[in-house]
């Protein structure tokens, strides 16, 4: 019989994922957000089944009132060197789309949903805006056109643009980033409409991270967080960070500050200059 005691025990057993690192040493990782979503899905499923089959299920939903709390674990932040190591290893493993995706997360500060499930070929350098890319943030519903060149015609994202230009040459439409094998289908799956699942992508990312000998706690989100950290290290102003990260709420940056393409260009130049200063690039 499924009761509250059983669901609580199930939650505790699923909460900690036990694996091994590249050296074979045991590693424990809490996955509270994932398990919280699973418990909420079970609660929803129980309610639906009970409503459609009156009298066949206990009146009390054992997945209700579990006292779920959000994870307070901070997302580990990748360094620029770790980004480069990940990209190099991904290409070596025949997963160049993941290498490009990591750079998108770093440069344009986008989440996996925006990169793998939203970024369309038509968003990148369309005929009517040949020198821009449309960057979408599904979570905040913010979007905008980001310039790819400065006023002198110099490319702002030369490495990323070279990779995206190469992809677009062979792609008529559809998602920009697809799997690197077989029929090159989308990285996510859609078990529910409008709810992409990135389980397979996350596993592949972890394979690359371990193969590259990087910290095991890193995830795909670490590259976006690394990009945000770089904006601070490069001493971007609040307005420039707001423009680059498409932030518009008082929780993150001052409210009602106008975002302009000039701020994006200025911020991007500062970030690239910061890398050069640290010896990452030669220009």
């Amino acid at each position: 019989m499924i009761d509250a005691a059983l669901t609580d025990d199930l939650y505790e057993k699923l909460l900690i994922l036990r694996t091994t690192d590249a050296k074979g040493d045991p590693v424990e990782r809490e996955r509270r957000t994932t398990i919280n979503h699973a418990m909420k899905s079970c609660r929803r499923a129980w309610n639906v089944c009970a409503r459609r089959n009156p009298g066949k299920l206990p009146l009390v939903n054992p997945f209700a009132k579990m006292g779920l709390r959000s994870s307070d674990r901070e997302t580990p932040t990748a360094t620029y060197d770790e980004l480069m190591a990940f990209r190099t290893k991904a290409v070596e493993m025949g997963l160049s789309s993941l290498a490009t995706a990591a750079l998108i997360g770093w440069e344009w500060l986008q989440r996996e949903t925006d990169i793998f499930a939203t970024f369309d070929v038509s968003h990148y350098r369309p005929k009517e805006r040949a020198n821009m890319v449309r960057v979408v943030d599904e979570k905040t519903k913010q979007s905008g056109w980001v310039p790819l060149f400065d006023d002198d015609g110099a490319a702002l994202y030369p490495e990323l643009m070279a990779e995206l230009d190469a992809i677009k040459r062979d792609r008529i439409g559809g998602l920009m980033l697809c799997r690197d094998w077989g029929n090159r289908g989308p990285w996510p799956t859609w078990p529910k409409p409008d709810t992409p699942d990135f389980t397979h992508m996350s596993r592949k990312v972890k394979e690359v991270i371990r193969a590259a000998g990087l910290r095991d706690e890193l995830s795909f989100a670490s590259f976006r967080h690394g990009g945000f950290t770089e904006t601070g290290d490069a001493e971007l102003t609040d307005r420039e960070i707001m423009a680059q990260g498409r932030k518009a709420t008082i929780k993150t940056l001052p409210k009602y500050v106008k975002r302009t393409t000039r701020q994006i260009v200025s911020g991007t130049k500062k970030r690239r200059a910061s890398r050069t200063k640290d010896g990452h690039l030669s220009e």
Side-chain angles (χ1 to χ4, degrees):
M1 178 180 177
I2 301 178
D3 55 18
L6 179 62
T7 58
D8 288 344
D9 185 54
L10 176 64
Y11 181 85
E12 294 299 326
K13 288 186 181 324
L14 294 176
L15 183 60
I16 304 300
L17 178 65
R18 294 174 175 83
T19 58
T20 56
D21 60 19
K23 297 180 181 178
D25 297 324
V27 175
E28 292 189 354
R29 177 172 63 85
E30 182 182 275
R31 46 181 180 175
R32 187 175 300 275
T33 300
T34 300
I35 303 308
N36 282 354
H37 284 313
M39 295 298 105
K40 291 175 183 178
S41 295
C42 290
R43 181 178 64 199
R44 167 68 175 165
W46 186 284
N47 288 336
V48 171
C49 290
R51 185 168 60 251
R52 294 182 177 179
N53 301 275
K56 294 185 178 181
L57 290 175
L59 294 177
V60 178
N61 185 335
F63 294 96
K65 299 181 180 180
M66 292 184 67
L68 303 177
R69 64 180 179 84
S70 300
S71 174
D72 54 6
R73 183 180 71 89
E74 291 186 4
T75 299
T77 300
T79 65
Y80 187 77
D81 287 338
E82 287 172 328
L83 168 70
M84 292 296 100
F86 175 88
R87 280 171 44 77
T88 298
K89 181 57 66 174
V91 172
E92 290 177 2
M93 296 173 66
L95 298 169
S96 59
S97 66
L98 293 184
T100 301
L103 189 55
I104 292 175
W106 186 282
E107 294 283 27
W108 295 336
L109 310 175
Q110 289 190 284
R111 299 177 181 83
E112 56 191 18
T113 298
D114 310 320
I115 297 170
F116 293 106
T118 304
F119 188 24
D120 191 271
V121 172
S122 64
H123 294 170
Y124 182 71
R125 305 189 71 175
K127 291 182 179 180
E128 64 274 16
R129 294 177 183 261
N131 294 329
M132 305 188 85
V133 58
R134 183 169 181 253
V135 176
V136 180
D137 190 318
E138 286 292 335
K139 182 176 182 179
T140 64
K141 304 305 178 185
Q142 295 282 320
S143 67
W145 288 95
V146 172
L148 299 173
F149 300 89
D150 66 12
D151 292 339
D152 297 324
L156 295 171
Y157 313 96
E159 303 88 358
L160 180 54
M161 290 170 61
E163 295 172 26
L164 294 177
D165 285 341
I167 292 173
K168 183 156 184 172
R169 278 196 294 269
D170 299 323
R171 195 77 51 77
I172 297 175
L175 293 174
M176 179 66 84
L177 299 182
C178 300
R179 302 188 187 193
D180 301 278
W181 65 90
N183 62 1
R184 297 184 178 274
W187 271 105
T189 57
W190 279 266
K192 295 180 181 178
D194 301 322
T195 307
D197 183 278
F198 298 97
T199 301
H200 186 65
M201 181 278 294
S202 298
R203 288 173 179 168
K204 285 294 184 182
V205 167
K206 186 61 70 174
E207 287 179 15
V208 177
I209 288 171
R210 290 172 175 166
L214 300 176
R215 292 177 289 146
D216 202 65
E217 64 265 27
L218 293 178
S219 65
F220 186 79
S222 298
F223 301 117
R224 176 174 179 264
H225 283 249
F228 267 113
T229 299
E230 184 182 68
T231 66
D233 293 342
E235 299 181 350
L236 271 66
T237 66
D238 286 350
R239 292 189 178 189
E240 289 166 344
I241 296 175
M242 178 180 172
Q244 294 221 333
R246 295 160 303 283
K247 297 297 183 182
T249 68
I250 197 170
K251 294 180 181 179
T252 54
L253 291 169
K255 199 174 182 179
Y256 306 125
V257 179
K258 187 176 181 180
R259 179 171 65 237
T260 68
T261 57
R262 181 182 296 275
Q263 292 164 8
I264 298 175
V265 170
S266 175
T268 299
K269 285 185 173 181
K270 284 184 178 180
R271 291 175 64 181
R272 293 188 67 80
S274 176
R275 294 175 209 167
T276 305
K277 180 178 63 178
D278 294 336
H280 293 305
L281 293 175
S282 59
E283 306 207 322

